[in-house]
Amino acid sequence: MMKKKWLWAGAGVVVLVALVYLFLVKSPSSFPNEKVVVAGINNAFPEAKASEVQGVIEVSETKRFVPFRTEQNLYGKSLWVWNGAEWKAENIRVDQEPELWEVERGKSSTYHFIWNVDPDTTIETFEFYLLRDRNYRVSDGVKTYMPGVQMKKVVDLTDQSYGVLKMPEEWSYFMDSLENTMPNRNPLFSSVFSSPTVEFRMRRLNAEGESVRLSLPGGIGYGGSEYLQFIPGVDERGLEKPVE
Amino acid sequence: MWNFEFGFEFIPFLVTVLNWGIILTIAHFIYIKQNIKPKRWKVFVVIFVGIFAFHFSWQSSGTVLRFPILPLGVWILYGILKKKEGRWRTYRRFAWLGFWANVLFLATSLLSAQVQPLVYPPDEVSTYIADVQQAEALHVHPSADDLSVEHDLLTEQNWQEAPVQSVAWYEAHRDERERVDEQFPYLLKGYEPKWGSGAESRIYVEKDGKGLLISTAEQQYYFQAEQSVFQGEVE
């Protein structure tokens, strides 16, 4: 009789532990404090020499953007991911470049532009662009026309030297519509060719609205599990202006 | 296929129901004519495995035709069932029914390819735009203006198909200072295709509001109307 009781108690404990474990694994714990985060960055990438966390920005339930400052007064970006048991620093970069974080790869509405620039920079605004070249095709007498697409989003850096910009709804709508009407989506021809050709570009502007070149080109970085797109610059001649 | 929201295709759904109706009816007749009565669920399994075959696939104008060539499923079943005396004979007809079902699938897929354009004409705007409750025009080029879409003018107008002027549009409208107006600076959002068409499309609106450029996975169509779909500016 006694034995049976113990057996039940044991089973109960096992179930309880399993439940707690499942719960803990499923939902991310609260984000670690600054000291732990700085140590985490420096452990993963000692060259970063992080000294101070500037903020923690949620981009999804399991992913955070953490901008930081370094001992040499440089500015860096770190991407943190909940791996089921703990928060881990994945990609780390110390530079002045904004990047596009593909938070959930292939799902453009989750993408975020991320940046962390020196607050003393002369750059006042970032202009992000989604571009698709105007094009046409004639094959087997069938004509197709692809309108030129140029969408712009402006970020003001005067009140936030670091931050994120979620992919604007219009942009992801356009990208999804390209995806959904991609030619040859059938079992015989897999889509090895022609992924939709949209480009992300950017301009850095000062208070006078002039293009600013980066004083600190390059930078150092540590690659992790996350997909980041470098955003090339575009000059004014590469953009279209409407007829007045 | 069971998704009744976006992308639901009614005719392929109907064809699937029809196919299985025919297969199960034939199976039923074989079953009652036959003296040895195996378990029904085993008959199901045998039919399913019998369908498995090597196909020769052929694509013609967007429809994939699959010609069954080698009855792989039937061979597998024979290999398994022959081990016990008389068992193959019990299931033989059902295995072959599975294989011949492929021919039925081929025939009905040809039929549905004929019916689909009759019910959902690919060269009519109403196939792509049926419900426009939420319709709005996104600006995809700086030459777009803040205009609001008059929903009735999208669906109630007589849209005429016209040739795609790819080269002329590409040359675009440049002035002497290299400024450019896009011929189609708007992208339509918030519309639903005709029920059951599964027609996924990308629709650009011409700058004067009197033209729609509709891209599907297969083709592109251009439609013109008398009146602009834009009625006045957005407040």
Side-chain angles (χ1 to χ4, degrees):
Chain A
M1 199 57 195
M2 207 51 191
K3 243 183 190 168
K4 212 171 180 181
K5 229 179 195 169
W6 278 113
L7 215 65
W8 277 112
V13 168
V14 169
V15 168
L16 204 72
V17 169
L19 277 177
V20 166
Y21 180 76
L22 273 178
F23 182 75
L24 284 181
V25 166
K26 278 243 169 76
S27 59
S29 65
S30 61
F31 201 74
N33 64 31
E34 177 164 11
K35 230 170 110 185
V36 177
V37 171
V38 167
I41 294 169
N42 291 332
N43 267 337
F45 185 51
E47 292 92 322
K49 296 196 170 60
S51 63
E52 182 191 324
V53 168
Q54 295 169 278
V56 177
I57 302 175
E58 179 171 337
V59 295
S60 84
E61 207 194 333
T62 56
K63 299 187 180 184
R64 302 282 187 276
F65 170 57
V66 180
F68 63 90
R69 245 158 72 106
T70 75
E71 288 164 15
Q72 305 105 310
N73 260 334
L74 296 174
Y75 292 83
K77 302 174 295 227
S78 64
L79 313 186
W80 288 72
V81 177
W82 173 255
N83 66 9
E86 56 172 343
W87 286 99
K88 267 195 76 179
E90 290 293 342
N91 307 46
I92 300 164
R93 279 200 78 82
V94 181
D95 62 11
Q96 300 271 333
E97 302 280 353
E99 284 170 292
L100 181 62
W101 185 2
E102 301 181 5
V103 176
E104 267 179 68
R105 203 149 200 240
K107 206 172 152 198
S108 57
S109 62
T110 67
Y111 292 8
H112 283 74
F113 292 95
I114 58 173
W115 67 88
N116 184 17
V117 298
D118 191 329
D120 297 331
T121 180
T122 54
I123 304 171
E124 283 234 319
T125 53
F126 281 145
E127 287 183 354
F128 292 113
Y129 289 93
L130 182 154
L131 303 177
R132 203 269 308 263
D133 284 345
R134 181 174 296 109
N135 211 340
Y136 70 91
R137 200 171 44 219
V138 183
S139 67
D140 298 330
V142 179
K143 291 176 184 168
T144 11
Y145 172 66
M146 280 151 277
V149 168
Q150 178 177 317
M151 291 190 267
K152 176 167 99 172
K153 201 82 194 177
V154 181
V155 169
D156 189 349
L157 298 177
T158 44
D159 30 80
Q160 42 171 14
S161 64
Y162 62 84
V164 304
L165 170 71
K166 195 168 189 271
M167 179 75 67
E169 217 177 300
E170 286 92 348
W171 296 23
S172 63
Y173 177 78
F174 174 66
M175 289 169 74
D176 291 347
S177 78
L178 284 180
E179 192 77 43
N180 294 339
T181 55
M182 215 158 49
N184 293 326
R185 274 202 317 164
N186 73 51
L188 282 189
F189 305 98
S190 62
S191 56
V192 273
F193 38 160
S194 78
S195 67
T197 49
V198 303
E199 284 181 293
F200 297 102
R201 293 299 183 95
M202 65 168 302
R203 294 179 74 200
R204 305 170 178 79
L205 303 177
N206 64 16
E208 280 74 50
E210 298 158 343
S211 276
V212 179
R213 283 194 171 276
L214 274 186
S215 51
L216 271 176
I220 50 171
Y222 162 81
S225 64
E226 296 304 295
Y227 289 97
L228 285 170
Q229 267 188 47
F230 169 73
I231 309 161
V234 61
D235 68 26
E236 222 174 344
R237 282 165 306 167
L239 297 169
E240 290 185 343
K241 284 205 201 88
V243 177
E244 276 155 348
Chain B
M1 179 175 296
W2 303 100
N3 176 11
F4 281 81
E5 285 159 14
F6 199 63
F8 169 69
E9 294 183 74
F10 179 61
I11 288 176
F13 167 78
L14 206 62
V15 162
T16 306
V17 171
L18 180 77
N19 283 341
W20 282 98
I22 293 172
I23 293 166
L24 293 181
T25 308
I26 295 174
H28 177 70
F29 280 113
I30 296 173
Y31 192 84
I32 54 172
K33 258 183 81 180
Q34 193 165 292
N35 290 327
I36 317 158
K37 310 277 189 220
K39 286 243 162 55
R40 278 170 200 270
W41 70 266
K42 288 182 179 170
V43 172
F44 268 123
V45 173
V46 167
I47 294 174
F48 252 97
V49 177
I51 291 172
F52 179 51
F54 179 78
H55 287 90
F56 172 71
S57 295
W58 177 266
Q59 197 194 22
S60 92
S61 60
T63 320
V64 180
L65 300 177
R66 290 155 54 85
F67 297 90
I69 296 178
L70 303 177
L72 299 180
V74 176
W75 293 346
I76 291 167
L77 287 166
Y78 178 70
I80 296 168
L81 296 174
K82 71 172 180 191
K83 285 181 190 141
K84 204 167 152 194
E85 181 70 33
R87 215 168 41 168
W88 169 240
R89 226 172 338 122
T90 312
Y91 291 105
R92 198 193 59 189
R93 289 161 184 279
F94 299 110
W96 280 106
L97 174 62
F99 176 71
W100 290 112
N102 286 299
V103 178
L104 177 71
F105 296 157
L106 174 64
T108 51
S109 70
L110 268 170
L111 183 73
S112 86
Q114 298 300 309
V115 173
Q116 179 83 19
L118 296 179
V119 183
Y120 305 106
D123 53 357
E124 277 179 28
V125 169
S126 62
T127 301
Y128 307 99
I129 312 177
D131 180 1
V132 288
Q133 294 298 308
Q134 315 284 327
E136 56 175 318
L138 304 182
H139 298 181
V140 292
H141 192 271
S143 52
D145 293 315
D146 268 338
L147 299 166
S148 68
V149 175
E150 192 65 43
H151 295 167
D152 289 347
L153 289 170
L154 268 173
T155 46
E156 314 278 295
Q157 277 203 89
N158 181 24
W159 291 98
Q160 293 289 333
E161 203 192 344
V164 170
Q165 306 287 342
S166 50
V167 182
W169 294 334
Y170 179 77
E171 300 298 341
H173 313 268
R174 280 164 209 280
D175 66 5
E176 58 289 349
R177 287 159 65 206
E178 281 298 305
R179 288 174 172 264
V180 186
D181 271 359
E182 170 55 54
Q183 185 79 15
F184 297 89
Y186 307 94
L187 184 67
L188 200 62
K189 187 190 173 189
Y191 57 90
E192 295 284 343
K194 193 189 261 185
W195 184 85
S197 67
E200 303 230 23
S201 64
R202 181 159 28 103
I203 303 180
Y204 298 97
V205 184
E206 204 161 354
K207 63 175 187 238
D208 63 0
K210 296 178 181 175
L212 298 177
L213 186 66
I214 302 185
S215 295
T216 69
E218 289 82 32
Q219 233 184 307
Q220 195 171 51
Y221 303 91
Y222 175 51
F223 299 94
Q224 284 180 319
E226 289 283 310
Q227 269 182 286
S228 168
V229 297
F230 299 122
Q231 287 291 331
E233 298 196 1
V234 173
E235 305 86 48

